Amino acid sequence: MRRFLTDRARRAVAASLRGATRPAAPSPAPAAALSRPSPSAPSAMAAYMARAMSTSAAGTPPVSLDTINPKVLEFKYAVRGEIVTHAQNLEQELHKNPESLPFDEILYCNIGNPHSLGQQPVTFFREVLSLCDHPALLDKSETHALYSSDAIERAWQILEKIPGRATGAYSHSQGVKGLRDEIAAGIAARDGFHASGDNIFLTDGASPAVHMMMQLLIRSEKDGILCPLPQYPLYSASIALHGGSFVPYFLDEETGWGLEVDELKKQVDEARSKGITVRALVVINPGNPTGQVLAEENQKKIVEFCKNEGLVLLADEVYQENIYVEDKQFHSFKKIARSMGYTDDDLPLVSFQSVSKGYYGECGKRGGYMEVTGFNADVREQIYKVASVNLCSNISGQILSSLIMNPPKVGDESYESFMVERDGIISSLARRAKALEEAFNSLEGITCNKAEGAMYLFPRLHLPQKAIGAAQAAGAAPDAYYALRLLQATGIVVVPGSGFGQAPGTYHFRCTILPQEDKIPAIISRFKEFHEKFMDEFRDVSRDEAPTGATIESGGD
Amino acid sequence: MRRFLTDRARRAVAASLRGATRPAAPSPAPAAALSRPSPSAPSAMAAYMARAMSTSAAGTPPVSLDTINPKVLEFKYAVRGEIVTHAQNLEQELHKNPESLPFDEILYCNIGNPHSLGQQPVTFFREVLSLCDHPALLDKSETHALYSSDAIERAWQILEKIPGRATGAYSHSQGVKGLRDEIAAGIAARDGFHASGDNIFLTDGASPAVHMMMQLLIRSEKDGILCPLPQYPLYSASIALHGGSFVPYFLDEETGWGLEVDELKKQVDEARSKGITVRALVVINPGNPTGQVLAEENQKKIVEFCKNEGLVLLADEVYQENIYVEDKQFHSFKKIARSMGYTDDDLPLVSFQSVSKGYYGECGKRGGYMEVTGFNADVREQIYKVASVNLCSNISGQILSSLIMNPPKVGDESYESFMVERDGIISSLARRAKALEEAFNSLEGITCNKAEGAMYLFPRLHLPQKAIGAAQAAGAAPDAYYALRLLQATGIVVVPGSGFGQAPGTYHFRCTILPQEDKIPAIISRFKEFHEKFMDEFRDVSRDEAPTGATIESGGD
């Protein structure tokens, strides 16, 4: 059969699978022209080339840094970046030789990963997951000795929602319909406005949902996405990977990381003047890494702005349960928009939620969803198609997503113990946030806004000029230099502010509030000791005189 | 602080986050120029435009088919395509009004989703998952009444491998190191050659792993990936989404879907003559949708070819446990390469494995891995970075991946019952494959190769000209028309061959062998009845004369 295939026919088949005839794109800029070549690239490359030349018949290595997708080479992801790799190496060293370092454990404060630092899972959620994983248990009387009755009841209810009770089957690419309906009911109860399961796309955590939206919206570098600075680097990474333009707007550290619409407008106009089509606005509320909780009036202005400017509002609301101050409350952007009278016809709006955050903190389960409203049916079909290319998200994560949006209620057997667990975690997180914030603010050369929500503090470092000079001499950003020294002295892992973006000339780091409460005093004292020594080492002038460096650095505040 | 920021500083921050200064790409071709505009687009778009004009201050809808990423618009994914959407609609109709259709259930033979059709999970695997989800059970004596002792023991072992025993924490972005080591030991035991946990990347099923490799390798449409035709459309979809060129090679239906190196060479040369840089060869073994199992000698030639041509070998080996014939065995490409004396220095080779296939068929768990060998350290770091952008794969899927590569052994309490379950599933699949193949081959106008492995048959339809004409009149591909008519008459969902690619002028469909064994006779008789009526309806000449259309169609065989 192969024999009678003409070239033309082959091309036709290939084109029909590809579905298009597009002009060939020009070759992208070679890796060497990028601003961040790997420092180790030249020598490692030379060695590899030499080896490859000696072994490959074609004479060139099939894959090298020069021949991979430059967008991959380009993007950065600081929360799992160099400092974390260094920490993992130290951890291995510590494992081999426990006496080799001035500390006995690595404390990962780089990432919002509560269970890795000892937070216990919520019992009810895990009971239900355990039963759904092994439904045969539901038919056995012994099961009642091990599981609460409402967990057993809930597992039954969930299995009834899953076609064939098959937790081992691919679901609909948006997720199991019955679970989506349950999530929608939870959203409606939270907001007081209608929500539909048809608008829910269940995903393996929030990150894949963000990538899906970037993949949909970004056509070329001429498409821009407005993102806060500082920002969670998922956004800059995803925009870079999909070849778009990152259009920053600055949060105002002076006003507790305020988000001002004037600033949004200014940045959109500036981007447009450069020929960028601004497609969407990313808002992270509560803020990451900045921890602020937006006020309702502010949110209304943001919604209005998106509507007027024709932007998609991408609302990262994964910290919606993490609120630590009395005078602030979480309001979803959808609730705000609906309360202003805006319907599906007025505004494309996507809300991201995850099982990894909140009081549950189930990062390893990779559950989450996006609620997609305000897109027309044709575009929705395309979002569905993108979702279908990975078939579906994992069913345990789907079940857990339904549980966090519909936890035990008054009268359920687990209700009281559930509330004790939940409130215990949230109130402890609030105390930890406050203790760390106060500790940071008590130190020379550090100022720190309050964590009203989320899981992080983002203290500002007012570094002496001498420290900045030492960092430059070491070829590192000043905050990266500080974070590395902190790690080497204490085992505490924080992420340099440069990984999130910060106003030029300012330096910060992000530190989670997640170490268990009984460890906080020791962390604070280790941190203080390091910081004071660091400041003494690099002090520009003697302790009795004014700290000139710090004053210069904070001049803009 | 915002106030003193100059434009230049803002740009510097944005550029540092993006990490590069690239020239702006030209605007991609508008959606209208693509070969496959949505048939419903014009009228739906007009309605949407009218609505958007009346409500949006900017006067244009923020997102429409004209303004989304054309690569998204372009790609197709037939296994979850139109026919499946149509089936889902029929299912809803059937639910509302059970008497409305000539059948009482939809039989999803479109996708390899065994549990959705009644296959039961393997008990031992589910016991371990259930215990790992709720580790508090491990401390209770009542647990022994519900779980086998080796499942309890295994759960302990697995928790010991997970830092802090925290199944709710993000793991290393490649997956939990101890689980990767266990998988590597399973690979080494399978192949008789060394494997390392450092080379394992655990992923949410095999699909995200395939996307990661495409994202790494494809820079522009000038980069090509060699893929079989027929192929699993994940490959064409992923290549289209990442903007590369699909370079097809044809499997030879005549020789049982043979893969010939002459054909590979011819296609590579032809692609190169058009300026395409061929980066990688995709081989699916056992084949999907074609079900063949490659012979060892053939695999050696393929390895040699990749080495000589400087190609990455992407080996889709997710059906490695699905072998149904005595005279064929699965050999991993890594085993073949190592047995030829090739080391890491000779050949970049990636093997994909998944918990969704085999005898386990745990599609909903989204577990899988790729074993990555033969890349230099710099490139490996970039693969790690791509993995890190979604943080990690789900831990239950990671655990299950370790279990399938290290199932119960002789002497374990579960061993015997495990073997009964495993062999029961595999031998039943073999019988189903044979029954369906024989049924297809017994019909006028259908020829069907044997399913030596995997989960599918890919029968060829020798359609009468009159049927082809009817399809054309309905605006459908002939095999899509046939599949739609089959669905409407019987509720059986198959995927038209055009979704996988096929030699021009030939028509096929893919049908899974997954309906439970007791349903196979009824499916065969429903299918036969439909097919005979269809042939009668469209017969070009009377039954007594030669079936001209079929002869013409099969002339190339």
Side-chain angles (χ1 to χ4, degrees):
Chain A
M1 177 197 314
R2 274 174 308 111
R3 287 167 218 115
F4 72 81
L5 292 172
T6 64
D7 281 356
R8 195 164 167 181
R10 287 173 200 270
R11 279 198 299 275
V13 173
S16 80
L17 276 163
R18 216 172 55 238
T21 331
R22 284 189 295 136
S27 289
L34 297 174
S35 66
R36 188 190 158 263
S38 166
S40 64
S43 59
M45 272 307 296
Y48 181 77
M49 287 293 286
R51 196 182 53 191
M53 293 291 280
S54 70
T55 55
S56 165
T60 46
V63 188
S64 70
L65 291 189
D66 285 331
T67 61
I68 66 168
N69 178 358
K71 291 179 195 134
V72 166
L73 201 62
E74 183 181 319
F75 88 91
K76 295 179 186 181
Y77 198 49
V79 296
R80 290 242 156 159
E82 280 171 41
I83 192 111
V84 184
T85 306
H86 190 68
Q88 287 165 343
N89 293 341
L90 289 181
E91 197 165 34
Q92 283 180 13
E93 218 170 299
L94 213 51
H95 191 69
K96 280 183 218 151
N97 186 355
E99 306 298 316
S100 61
L101 297 169
F103 44 84
D104 56 9
E105 66 169 336
I106 301 287
L107 259 164
Y108 287 100
C109 300
N110 58 302
I111 194 162
N113 193 8
H115 292 216
S116 75
L117 295 173
Q119 182 176 311
Q120 291 305 300
V122 173
T123 307
F124 176 79
F125 295 163
R126 290 304 193 97
E127 285 183 331
V128 177
L129 290 180
S130 173
L131 290 164
C132 290
D133 264 347
H134 192 30
L137 295 181
L138 290 169
D139 296 323
K140 297 185 181 170
S141 60
E142 294 94 331
T143 302
H144 290 270
L146 286 173
Y147 295 87
S148 63
S149 62
D150 54 340
I152 293 172
E153 175 62 24
R154 183 67 74 92
W156 275 118
Q157 287 169 10
I158 285 171
L159 290 174
E160 285 303 315
K161 292 177 202 290
I162 299 176
R165 296 184 186 170
T167 55
Y170 294 128
S171 70
H172 185 283
S173 291
Q174 285 184 237
V176 173
K177 178 66 164 71
L179 298 176
R180 287 187 272 133
D181 289 343
E182 194 155 337
I183 289 166
I187 294 171
R190 180 195 69 194
D191 291 348
F193 290 96
H194 173 72
S196 163
D198 294 336
N199 294 337
I200 305 296
F201 286 73
L202 282 152
T203 49
D204 292 309
S207 301
V210 169
H211 292 306
M212 277 166 66
M213 292 310 301
M214 296 302 172
Q215 189 159 44
L216 182 84
L217 292 172
I218 295 172
R219 293 162 294 183
S220 74
E221 209 174 46
K222 290 286 177 193
D223 280 331
I225 309 288
L226 263 171
C227 295
L229 274 190
Q231 55 109 28
Y232 179 50
L234 167 66
Y235 294 97
S236 51
S238 188
I239 293 165
L241 270 171
H242 292 101
S245 282
F246 182 92
V247 180
Y249 64 90
F250 285 86
L251 301 172
D252 186 5
E253 186 163 14
E254 249 184 305
T255 58
W257 301 112
L259 194 173
E260 289 176 31
V261 170
D262 290 351
E263 164 71 2
L264 295 178
K265 179 66 181 154
K266 192 178 156 194
Q267 297 297 346
V268 165
D269 290 345
E270 192 182 314
R272 285 179 181 155
S273 75
K274 292 174 195 153
I276 302 282
T277 305
V278 181
R279 307 298 313 268
L281 168 68
V282 171
V283 180
I284 311 174
N285 179 46
N288 175 6
T290 42
Q292 83 283 28
V293 177
L294 297 180
E296 200 173 339
E297 280 312 305
N298 194 194
Q299 288 184 272
K300 284 184 181 169
K301 285 183 191 158
I302 294 165
V303 169
E304 198 69 50
F305 173 79
C306 286
K307 177 164 165 47
N308 291 341
E309 301 293 334
L311 303 181
V312 178
L313 177 48
L314 300 174
D316 180 336
E317 300 180 327
V318 301
Y319 297 100
Q320 57 190 263
E321 305 264 13
N322 298 94
I323 309 283
Y324 308 125
V325 289
E326 289 290 321
D327 57 335
K328 288 287 179 81
Q329 244 189 306
F330 169 77
H331 302 286
S332 78
F333 270 102
K334 181 159 155 261
K335 172 183 171 182
I336 297 291
R338 296 294 175 268
S339 72
M340 294 165 77
Y342 291 142
T343 69
D344 240 11
D345 292 340
D346 296 301
L347 187 77
L349 196 162
V350 182
S351 166
F352 303 100
Q353 166 67 319
S354 168
V355 303
S356 304
K357 310 302 170 190
Y359 57 89
Y360 18 93
E362 292 272 17
C363 304
K365 294 294 169 192
R366 312 311 293 124
Y369 69 80
M370 57 177 180
E371 187 189 11
V372 175
T373 56
F375 291 83
N376 73 29
D378 285 344
V379 174
R380 277 286 298 274
E381 252 176 57
Q382 299 297 317
I383 302 175
Y384 171 78
K385 199 174 63 173
V386 172
S388 76
V389 84
N390 279 332
L391 296 159
C392 68
S393 62
N394 82 87
I395 306 294
S396 294
Q398 294 190 24
I399 292 171
L400 188 49
S401 298
S402 81
L403 293 174
I404 67 163
M405 298 308 284
N406 184 19
K409 300 280 185 293
V410 184
D412 293 345
E413 182 186 311
S414 295
Y415 178 72
E416 276 183 40
S417 59
F418 165 76
M419 289 302 283
V420 168
E421 288 178 20
R422 191 193 84 153
D423 293 347
I425 291 165
I426 292 285
S427 58
S428 171
L429 286 172
R431 288 191 299 271
R432 290 178 245 174
K434 201 164 164 49
L436 285 166
E437 174 213 320
E438 286 174 357
F440 289 138
N441 277 319
S442 76
L443 293 173
E444 177 197 0
I446 295 189
T447 53
C448 183
N449 276 324
K450 194 185 282 187
E452 298 174 330
M455 294 183 170
Y456 316 99
L457 290 162
F458 198 62
R460 179 167 173 189
L461 290 167
H462 307 268
L463 293 174
Q465 277 303 331
K466 216 171 133 187
I468 295 167
Q472 282 162 346
D479 48 9
Y481 180 74
Y482 180 90
L484 187 66
R485 291 283 305 264
L486 174 68
L487 169 62
Q488 288 168 336
T490 65
I492 300 171
V493 192
V494 299
V495 185
S498 43
F500 303 92
Q502 51 200 349
T506 70
Y507 308 112
H508 301 76
F509 62 89
R510 187 185 81 164
C511 178
T512 72
I513 57 170
L514 297 175
Q516 288 300 289
E517 207 166 351
D518 56 1
K519 288 199 172 177
I520 297 285
I523 290 170
I524 288 174
S525 80
R526 268 152 83 180
F527 185 89
K528 272 191 174 174
E529 191 191 352
F530 158 77
H531 183 78
E532 281 161 7
K533 275 192 193 157
F534 185 91
M535 293 299 278
D536 285 344
E537 181 181 344
F538 293 108
R539 196 177 307 286
D540 293 319
V541 293
S542 76
R543 216 175 234 286
D544 300 330
E545 294 175 52
T548 320
T551 306
I552 289 170
E553 282 315 300
S554 62
D557 275 4
Chain B
M1 178 198 314
R2 273 176 308 109
R3 288 167 217 112
F4 70 83
L5 293 172
T6 65
D7 280 356
R8 197 166 167 180
R10 286 173 200 271
R11 279 196 301 274
V13 173
S16 78
L17 275 163
R18 213 171 59 237
T21 331
R22 285 187 299 135
S27 289
L34 297 174
S35 66
R36 187 190 160 263
S38 165
S40 64
S43 59
M45 274 304 298
Y48 181 77
M49 287 293 285
R51 194 183 57 192
M53 293 292 280
S54 71
T55 55
S56 164
T60 47
V63 187
S64 71
L65 291 190
D66 286 330
T67 61
I68 66 168
N69 178 357
K71 291 179 194 135
V72 166
L73 202 61
E74 183 180 318
F75 88 92
K76 295 179 185 180
Y77 199 49
V79 296
R80 290 242 157 160
E82 277 169 42
I83 193 110
V84 184
T85 306
H86 190 67
Q88 286 165 345
N89 294 340
L90 289 182
E91 195 165 35
Q92 282 180 14
E93 218 171 299
L94 213 50
H95 190 72
K96 279 182 215 150
N97 188 355
E99 306 298 315
S100 60
L101 297 170
F103 44 84
D104 55 11
E105 67 169 336
I106 300 287
L107 260 164
Y108 287 100
C109 301
N110 58 302
I111 194 162
N113 193 8
H115 292 214
S116 75
L117 295 173
Q119 182 176 309
Q120 291 305 300
V122 173
T123 307
F124 176 80
F125 295 163
R126 290 303 193 96
E127 284 184 331
V128 177
L129 290 180
S130 173
L131 290 165
C132 290
D133 264 347
H134 192 30
L137 295 181
L138 291 170
D139 297 322
K140 297 184 181 171
S141 59
E142 293 93 332
T143 303
H144 291 271
L146 286 173
Y147 295 87
S148 63
S149 62
D150 55 338
I152 293 172
E153 175 61 25
R154 183 68 75 93
W156 275 118
Q157 286 169 9
I158 285 171
L159 290 173
E160 285 304 315
K161 292 177 201 289
I162 299 175
R165 297 184 185 170
T167 56
Y170 293 128
S171 70
H172 185 284
S173 291
Q174 286 184 235
V176 174
K177 178 66 165 70
L179 298 176
R180 287 187 272 132
D181 289 343
E182 195 155 337
I183 289 167
I187 294 171
R190 180 194 69 195
D191 291 349
F193 290 97
H194 173 72
S196 163
D198 294 337
N199 293 338
I200 305 296
F201 287 73
L202 282 152
T203 50
D204 291 311
S207 301
V210 170
H211 292 306
M212 276 166 65
M213 291 311 302
M214 296 301 172
Q215 189 159 44
L216 182 85
L217 292 173
I218 295 172
R219 293 162 293 183
S220 75
E221 209 175 45
K222 290 285 177 194
D223 280 331
I225 310 288
L226 264 171
C227 295
L229 272 190
Q231 54 109 27
Y232 179 50
L234 167 66
Y235 294 97
S236 51
S238 189
I239 292 165
L241 271 172
H242 292 102
S245 281
F246 183 91
V247 180
Y249 64 89
F250 284 86
L251 300 173
D252 185 6
E253 186 164 14
E254 250 183 305
T255 58
W257 301 113
L259 194 173
E260 288 176 32
V261 170
D262 289 352
E263 164 72 3
L264 295 178
K265 178 66 182 155
K266 191 178 157 195
Q267 296 297 346
V268 165
D269 289 345
E270 190 182 315
R272 285 180 181 153
S273 75
K274 291 175 196 153
I276 303 282
T277 305
V278 182
R279 307 299 312 270
L281 167 69
V282 171
V283 180
I284 311 175
N285 180 44
N288 176 5
T290 41
Q292 83 283 28
V293 178
L294 298 180
E296 202 173 339
E297 280 311 306
N298 194 192
Q299 287 184 272
K300 283 185 181 169
K301 286 183 190 158
I302 293 165
V303 168
E304 198 68 50
F305 174 78
C306 286
K307 176 161 166 48
N308 290 340
E309 301 294 334
L311 303 181
V312 179
L313 176 49
L314 300 174
D316 181 335
E317 300 181 326
V318 301
Y319 296 101
Q320 57 189 263
E321 305 263 13
N322 299 94
I323 309 284
Y324 308 124
V325 288
E326 290 290 322
D327 58 334
K328 288 286 181 81
Q329 244 190 306
F330 170 76
H331 302 286
S332 78
F333 270 102
K334 183 162 153 258
K335 173 183 170 181
I336 297 292
R338 296 292 175 270
S339 72
M340 295 167 75
Y342 290 144
T343 69
D344 240 10
D345 292 340
D346 295 301
L347 185 79
L349 195 162
V350 183
S351 165
F352 302 101
Q353 165 67 319
S354 167
V355 303
S356 303
K357 309 303 170 188
Y359 57 90
Y360 19 92
E362 291 274 16
C363 303
K365 296 293 170 192
R366 313 309 296 120
Y369 69 80
M370 56 178 180
E371 186 189 13
V372 176
T373 55
F375 291 83
N376 74 27
D378 285 345
V379 175
R380 278 284 300 273
E381 252 177 55
Q382 299 297 317
I383 302 175
Y384 170 78
K385 200 174 64 172
V386 172
S388 76
V389 82
N390 279 331
L391 296 160
C392 67
S393 62
N394 83 87
I395 305 294
S396 295
Q398 293 190 25
I399 292 170
L400 188 50
S401 298
S402 81
L403 293 174
I404 66 163
M405 298 308 285
N406 184 18
K409 300 280 184 293
V410 182
D412 293 346
E413 182 185 313
S414 295
Y415 179 72
E416 276 183 40
S417 60
F418 165 78
M419 289 302 283
V420 168
E421 288 177 21
R422 192 193 82 153
D423 293 346
I425 291 165
I426 293 285
S427 59
S428 170
L429 286 172
R431 287 191 298 271
R432 289 179 245 173
K434 200 164 163 50
L436 286 166
E437 174 213 320
E438 285 174 357
F440 289 138
N441 277 319
S442 76
L443 293 173
E444 176 197 359
I446 294 189
T447 53
C448 184
N449 276 324
K450 193 186 280 187
E452 299 175 328
M455 295 183 169
Y456 316 99
L457 289 162
F458 197 62
R460 180 165 172 191
L461 291 167
H462 308 267
L463 294 175
Q465 278 302 333
K466 215 169 133 188
I468 294 168
Q472 282 163 346
D479 48 8
Y481 179 74
Y482 180 91
L484 187 67
R485 290 282 303 267
L486 173 68
L487 169 63
Q488 287 168 336
T490 64
I492 300 171
V493 192
V494 299
V495 184
S498 44
F500 303 91
Q502 52 199 349
T506 71
Y507 308 112
H508 301 77
F509 62 89
R510 188 185 80 165
C511 178
T512 72
I513 58 170
L514 297 175
Q516 288 299 288
E517 207 166 350
D518 57 359
K519 288 199 171 177
I520 297 286
I523 289 171
I524 288 175
S525 80
R526 269 151 81 179
F527 185 89
K528 274 190 173 174
E529 190 190 353
F530 159 77
H531 183 78
E532 281 162 6
K533 276 193 192 156
F534 184 91
M535 293 300 277
D536 285 344
E537 181 180 345
F538 292 108
R539 195 177 310 283
D540 294 319
V541 291
S542 78
R543 217 177 234 282
D544 301 327
E545 294 175 51
T548 319
T551 306
I552 289 170
E553 280 316 300
S554 62
D557 272 6

